[in-house]
Amino acid sequence: MEKSARTPEDVIAENGADMATLHACLLEAMSPVPVVVWEGKFWGGTDQTIIGYGEHTYPRSDGSTVEWFYLGLAAQKHGYSVYANGVSDGEYLTQRFKGRLGKAKVGKAAISFADAQSVDLEALAELAKLTKESFE
């Protein structure tokens, strides 16, 4: 994955009203952080376009460093994914929100759902704020 010259507005225009609603929710919860579009191969080798909120550099075991986002939003073939990289007490913050996010599948650091109406936007905003705080 690499930073793209495309803007979040470009990605929203391609993906419609639900993407706009989700972006507005996350942007309000995470402001002020840089917002950058990332594109390329993601975990599992899939091509992705992700709106990334916040920027973090962390070291790899080989001594190199990686730039990444605090939280990312991506449109998928059958819905949306949010990737929340915040950790507290050795646990991804997403785990604290299982059962609170509405009709969503919650993985280790990823949340998947069909549309903006399926996810609890208040809980998603709270997760976004806590994710941001975990990097501060």
Side-chain angles (χ1 to χ4, degrees):
M1 298 285 304
E2 294 183 359
K3 291 180 184 179
S4 170
R6 297 177 63 212
T7 68
E9 291 74 22
D10 296 334
V11 177
I12 292 164
E14 293 170 1
N15 292 286
D18 280 344
M19 183 68 113
T21 298
L22 295 164
H23 175 67
C25 170
L26 296 172
L27 188 61
E28 182 178 340
M30 303 234 14
S31 285
V33 297
V35 180
V36 175
V37 175
W38 293 77
E39 294 186 295
K41 297 273 184 215
F42 198 47
W43 307 323
T46 60
D47 286 320
Q48 296 281 325
T49 299
I50 301 173
I51 300 174
Y53 305 83
E55 293 182 310
H56 175 66
T57 302
Y58 64 92
R60 286 185 162 169
S61 59
D62 67 4
S64 64
T65 59
V66 175
E67 289 185 50
W68 204 232
F69 47 79
Y70 300 168
L71 185 139
L73 170 64
Q76 305 295 345
K77 189 174 185 179
H78 299 290
Y80 298 88
S81 294
V82 171
Y83 305 102
N85 297 305
V87 174
S88 179
D89 298 325
E91 177 181 57
Y92 280 103
L93 291 169
T94 52
Q95 301 308 298
R96 295 183 185 178
F97 286 81
K98 279 186 175 180
R100 292 185 51 203
L101 289 163
K103 253 184 119 173
K105 178 182 172 189
V106 180
K108 200 174 230 180
I111 303 158
S112 301
F113 46 92
D115 51 42
Q117 295 72 38
S118 297
V119 69
D120 183 322
L121 293 176
E122 285 185 26
L124 186 62
E126 184 181 345
L127 170 61
K129 286 179 188 175
L130 290 173
T131 297
K132 177 186 159 193
E133 290 170 5
S134 76
F135 286 95
E136 293 177 339

